[in-house]
PDB file of all heavy atoms in Angstrom:
ATOM      1  N   LEU P 132     233.472  77.571 308.347  1.00  0.00           N
ATOM      2  CA  LEU P 132     234.855  77.572 307.827  1.00  0.00           C
ATOM      3  C   LEU P 132     235.843  78.502 308.493  1.00  0.00           C
ATOM      4  O   LEU P 132     236.986  78.327 308.546  1.00  0.00           O
ATOM      5  CB  LEU P 132     234.734  77.987 306.272  1.00  0.00           C
ATOM      6  CG  LEU P 132     234.202  76.936 305.376  1.00  0.00           C
ATOM      7  CD1 LEU P 132     233.660  77.496 304.106  1.00  0.00           C
ATOM      8  CD2 LEU P 132     235.204  75.769 305.070  1.00  0.00           C
ATOM      9  N   THR P 133     235.221  79.602 309.077  1.00  0.00           N
ATOM     10  CA  THR P 133     236.005  80.604 309.802  1.00  0.00           C
ATOM     11  C   THR P 133     235.522  80.647 311.228  1.00  0.00           C
ATOM     12  O   THR P 133     235.781  81.582 311.922  1.00  0.00           O
ATOM     13  CB  THR P 133     235.957  81.952 309.150  1.00  0.00           C
ATOM     14  OG1 THR P 133     234.571  82.372 308.880  1.00  0.00           O
ATOM     15  CG2 THR P 133     236.670  81.975 307.827  1.00  0.00           C
ATOM     16  N   GLY P 134     234.710  79.662 311.693  1.00  0.00           N
ATOM     17  CA  GLY P 134     234.222  79.592 312.994  1.00  0.00           C
ATOM     18  C   GLY P 134     234.905  78.388 313.734  1.00  0.00           C
ATOM     19  O   GLY P 134     236.184  78.382 313.754  1.00  0.00           O
ATOM     20  N   ALA P 135     234.135  77.456 314.267  1.00  0.00           N
ATOM     21  CA  ALA P 135     234.785  76.409 315.057  1.00  0.00           C
ATOM     22  C   ALA P 135     235.645  75.515 314.285  1.00  0.00           C
ATOM     23  O   ALA P 135     236.544  74.942 314.832  1.00  0.00           O
ATOM     24  CB  ALA P 135     233.610  75.548 315.640  1.00  0.00           C
ATOM     25  N   GLN P 136     235.400  75.366 312.961  1.00  0.00           N
ATOM     26  CA  GLN P 136     236.278  74.545 312.129  1.00  0.00           C
ATOM     27  C   GLN P 136     237.318  75.379 311.296  1.00  0.00           C
ATOM     28  O   GLN P 136     237.791  74.939 310.199  1.00  0.00           O
ATOM     29  CB  GLN P 136     235.518  73.679 311.201  1.00  0.00           C
ATOM     30  CG  GLN P 136     234.464  72.809 311.916  1.00  0.00           C
ATOM     31  CD  GLN P 136     233.746  71.711 311.003  1.00  0.00           C
ATOM     32  OE1 GLN P 136     234.401  71.022 310.310  1.00  0.00           O
ATOM     33  NE2 GLN P 136     232.479  71.752 311.175  1.00  0.00           N
ATOM     34  N   CYS P 137     237.680  76.487 311.876  1.00  0.00           N
ATOM     35  CA  CYS P 137     238.661  77.418 311.117  1.00  0.00           C
ATOM     36  C   CYS P 137     240.052  76.701 311.147  1.00  0.00           C
ATOM     37  O   CYS P 137     240.329  75.715 311.827  1.00  0.00           O
ATOM     38  CB  CYS P 137     238.828  78.780 311.747  1.00  0.00           C
ATOM     39  SG  CYS P 137     239.510  78.718 313.393  1.00  0.00           S
ATOM     40  N   SER P 138     240.956  77.202 310.202  1.00  0.00           N
ATOM     41  CA  SER P 138     242.303  76.495 309.966  1.00  0.00           C
ATOM     42  C   SER P 138     243.314  77.733 309.797  1.00  0.00           C
ATOM     43  O   SER P 138     242.887  78.674 309.202  1.00  0.00           O
ATOM     44  CB  SER P 138     242.269  75.675 308.756  1.00  0.00           C
ATOM     45  OG  SER P 138     243.629  75.452 308.294  1.00  0.00           O
ATOM     46  N   PRO P 139     244.519  77.553 310.302  1.00  0.00           N
ATOM     47  CA  PRO P 139     245.577  78.643 310.034  1.00  0.00           C
ATOM     48  C   PRO P 139     245.817  78.659 308.528  1.00  0.00           C
ATOM     49  O   PRO P 139     246.333  79.725 308.092  1.00  0.00           O
ATOM     50  CB  PRO P 139     246.617  78.215 310.891  1.00  0.00           C
ATOM     51  CG  PRO P 139     246.523  76.723 311.003  1.00  0.00           C
ATOM     52  CD  PRO P 139     244.989  76.517 311.100  1.00  0.00           C
ATOM     53  N   TYR P 140     245.513  77.733 307.692  1.00  0.00           N
ATOM     54  CA  TYR P 140     245.759  77.686 306.288  1.00  0.00           C
ATOM     55  C   TYR P 140     244.492  77.890 305.444  1.00  0.00           C
ATOM     56  O   TYR P 140     244.466  77.740 304.247  1.00  0.00           O
ATOM     57  CB  TYR P 140     246.470  76.442 305.875  1.00  0.00           C
ATOM     58  CG  TYR P 140     247.609  76.000 306.894  1.00  0.00           C
ATOM     59  CD1 TYR P 140     247.607  74.783 307.391  1.00  0.00           C
ATOM     60  CD2 TYR P 140     248.625  76.950 307.183  1.00  0.00           C
ATOM     61  CE1 TYR P 140     248.679  74.410 308.261  1.00  0.00           C
ATOM     62  CE2 TYR P 140     249.624  76.604 308.140  1.00  0.00           C
ATOM     63  CZ  TYR P 140     249.587  75.332 308.657  1.00  0.00           C
ATOM     64  OH  TYR P 140     250.627  75.027 309.590  1.00  0.00           O
ATOM     65  N   GLY P 141     243.357  78.053 306.104  1.00  0.00           N
ATOM     66  CA  GLY P 141     242.043  78.175 305.541  1.00  0.00           C
ATOM     67  C   GLY P 141     241.573  79.562 305.457  1.00  0.00           C
ATOM     68  O   GLY P 141     241.607  80.321 306.419  1.00  0.00           O
ATOM     69  N   PHE P 142     241.112  80.031 304.241  1.00  0.00           N
ATOM     70  CA  PHE P 142     240.606  81.381 304.015  1.00  0.00           C
ATOM     71  C   PHE P 142     239.253  81.294 303.431  1.00  0.00           C
ATOM     72  O   PHE P 142     238.920  80.381 302.617  1.00  0.00           O
ATOM     73  CB  PHE P 142     241.521  82.129 303.095  1.00  0.00           C
ATOM     74  CG  PHE P 142     242.960  82.228 303.674  1.00  0.00           C
ATOM     75  CD1 PHE P 142     243.860  81.324 303.528  1.00  0.00           C
ATOM     76  CD2 PHE P 142     243.248  83.393 304.475  1.00  0.00           C
ATOM     77  CE1 PHE P 142     245.223  81.477 304.088  1.00  0.00           C
ATOM     78  CE2 PHE P 142     244.480  83.460 305.056  1.00  0.00           C
ATOM     79  CZ  PHE P 142     245.416  82.551 304.932  1.00  0.00           C
ATOM     80  N   HIS P 143     238.415  82.257 303.663  1.00  0.00           N
ATOM     81  CA  HIS P 143     237.050  82.271 303.115  1.00  0.00           C
ATOM     82  C   HIS P 143     236.864  83.590 302.442  1.00  0.00           C
ATOM     83  O   HIS P 143     236.901  84.728 303.103  1.00  0.00           O
ATOM     84  CB  HIS P 143     235.998  82.057 304.198  1.00  0.00           C
ATOM     85  CG  HIS P 143     234.662  81.671 303.675  1.00  0.00           C
ATOM     86  ND1 HIS P 143     233.661  81.420 304.552  1.00  0.00           N
ATOM     87  CD2 HIS P 143     234.143  81.413 302.482  1.00  0.00           C
ATOM     88  CE1 HIS P 143     232.543  81.000 303.887  1.00  0.00           C
ATOM     89  NE2 HIS P 143     232.895  80.999 302.625  1.00  0.00           N
TER      90      HIS P 143
END
Side-chain angles (χ1 to χ4, degrees):
L132 288 161
T133 51
Q136 299 188 51
C137 67
S138 162
Y140 317 125
F142 298 87
H143 200 179

